[in-house]
């Protein structure tokens, strides 16, 4: 967890709110959720749509991150033809760019993490798959959002996690042909909605009335309502609740009174006088 920069202000995380996203087999992925302490005047922030349909090969995406930016063109000698790319700046800066999904269904193993992912490839200007603003992730872009536009609506489909490239590259360069790996959030969507959304926007029937979220469920006043339940139960409207409560309390009181009486030997009545010992020692 860490501070985030939002609307020109630094917003702090809430202690103890971190949740690592898990795979179906219980192993941790290289992605986590945490809550931030939003200022009071941030209530108008819209809910961020998360893609439900998996990414598709060839689908164009926008990458937004805070990594290094490109500087001068570089040429790298390889085992084959020379490779071209860019050197990096010293500091990161918020940037965006485009690419196309090259592969899907990737499983990325890193240290203790196993992350279901998809990948994009940094194509040169003359490649058939090149996009108008072709982009490659760099150091500092981890956690940056990858967005896709479907049915006229932008939605989050992934988070950038890592990059690969030619092993003998100079440091701090991106070369055409490098790969950006992205955590596929459609694989973790259910947990994200469960932990990061209020009840009236988590796409679940939390109160069991077969109505889901605002505006379909009358118990929701807004998408930020933390409960789908209708108006609170009134004991005057539901007298059986008060009646059941009085039975439970009466039962507890009687049991307490019985426990307060002197204990009696097994098989005798506690209200009768105590039995006296006979000569043979038996009661």
């Amino acid at each position: 967890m860490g501070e985030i920069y939002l609307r020109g202000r630094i917003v702090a995380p809430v202690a103890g709110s971190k949740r690592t996203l898990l795979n179906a087999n219980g192993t941790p992925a290289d992605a986590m959720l945490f809550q931030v302490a939003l200022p009071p005047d941030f209530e108008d922030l819209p809910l961020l749509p998360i893609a439900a349909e998996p990414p598709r090969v060839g689908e164009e995406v926008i990458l937004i991150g805070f990594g290094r930016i490109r500087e001068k063109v570089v040429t790298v000698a390889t085992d084959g033809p020379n490779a071209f790319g860019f050197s990096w700046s010293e500091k990161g800066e918020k940037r965006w760019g485009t690419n196309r999904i090259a592969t899907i269904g990737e499983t990325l193993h890193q240290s203790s993490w196993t992350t279901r992912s998809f990948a994009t490839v940094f194509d040169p200007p003359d490649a058939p798959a090149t996009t108008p603003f072709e982009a490659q992730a760099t150091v500092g872009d981890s956690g940056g959002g990858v967005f896709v536009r479907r049915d006229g609506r932008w939605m989050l489909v992934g988070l950038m996690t890592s990059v690969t490239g030619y092993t003998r590259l100079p440091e701090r360069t991106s070369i055409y042909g490098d790969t950006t790996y992205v955590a596929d959030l459609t694989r973790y969507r259910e947990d994200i909605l469960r932990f990061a959304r209020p009840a009236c926007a988590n796409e679940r029937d939390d109160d069991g009335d077969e109505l889901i979220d605002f505006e379909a469920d009358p118990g929701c006043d807004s998408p930020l309502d933390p409960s789908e339940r209708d108006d609170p139960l009134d004991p005057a409207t539901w007298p059986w609740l008060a009646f059941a409560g009085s039975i439970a309390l009466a039962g507890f009181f009687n049991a307490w009174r019985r426990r307060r009486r002197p204990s009696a030997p097994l098989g005798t009545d506690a209200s009768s006088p105590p039995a006296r010992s006979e000569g043979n020692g038996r009661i």
Side-chain angles (χ1 to χ4, degrees):
M1 297 195 302
E3 296 174 334
I4 65 169
Y5 192 67
L6 188 61
R7 287 183 172 175
R9 296 164 69 175
I10 295 176
V11 181
V14 176
S17 65
K18 184 179 86 169
R19 292 182 180 273
T20 299
L21 296 179
L22 302 179
N23 299 295
N25 61 0
T27 57
D30 186 15
M32 68 176 178
L33 304 171
F34 62 89
Q35 187 178 357
V36 294
L38 289 177
D41 55 336
F42 278 49
E43 291 89 349
D44 62 328
L45 284 174
L47 292 174
L48 178 62
I50 299 173
E53 296 296 323
R56 300 185 290 267
V57 172
E59 197 168 25
E60 186 169 329
V61 292
I62 286 183
L63 295 74
I64 304 177
F66 213 95
R68 306 298 191 263
I69 63 175
R70 67 182 184 188
E71 290 191 327
K72 63 180 181 180
V73 175
V74 295
T75 304
V76 178
T78 68
D79 294 334
N82 287 347
F84 298 90
F86 301 93
S87 61
W88 296 348
S89 62
E90 287 287 343
K91 296 182 179 180
E93 183 178 323
K94 186 178 180 181
R95 302 274 286 184
W96 67 270
T98 58
N99 210 311
R100 296 186 190 278
I101 297 174
T103 60
I104 58 175
E106 300 273 1
T107 301
L108 196 63
H109 300 278
Q110 294 174 292
S111 184
S112 60
W113 298 315
T114 302
T115 311
R116 304 302 302 272
S117 308
F118 61 89
T120 64
V121 175
F122 189 35
D123 292 309
D126 56 350
T130 297
T131 58
F133 304 97
E134 189 75 7
Q136 164 69 15
T138 66
V139 170
D141 282 321
S142 293
V146 176
F147 296 83
V148 64
R149 187 173 179 85
R150 293 175 178 168
D151 299 325
R153 186 186 190 197
W154 286 105
M155 56 190 67
L156 185 67
V157 71
L159 296 178
M160 290 178 278
T161 61
S162 56
V163 297
T164 60
Y166 189 66
T167 57
R168 282 177 278 177
L169 290 180
E171 292 185 2
R172 297 174 44 241
T173 57
S174 291
I175 302 298
Y176 290 125
D178 287 358
T179 301
T180 298
Y181 285 96
V182 182
D184 181 358
L185 294 188
T186 67
R187 302 279 188 170
Y188 306 100
R189 187 174 187 272
E190 185 174 345
D191 280 348
I192 294 172
L193 295 181
R194 184 194 320 163
F195 296 126
R197 293 279 183 86
C200 285
N202 63 1
E203 302 181 16
R204 303 165 72 93
D205 182 13
D206 296 274
D207 59 355
D209 62 359
E210 299 183 1
L211 301 173
I212 299 176
D213 292 354
F214 181 81
E215 302 172 322
D217 195 316
C220 292
D221 297 326
S222 75
L224 301 180
D225 193 335
S227 174
E228 284 189 349
R229 190 176 295 279
D230 297 343
D231 293 336
L233 297 176
D234 184 354
T237 307
W238 297 89
W240 63 270
L241 286 176
F243 179 65
S246 66
I247 291 176
L249 287 175
F252 171 78
F253 180 69
N254 287 334
W256 181 80
R257 288 186 61 187
R258 285 196 297 270
R259 293 193 62 183
R260 294 282 294 175
R261 295 175 182 172
S263 59
L266 194 62
T268 64
D269 186 353
S271 62
S272 62
R276 292 179 297 179
S277 175
E278 301 295 340
N280 59 6
R282 291 179 295 174
I283 297 177

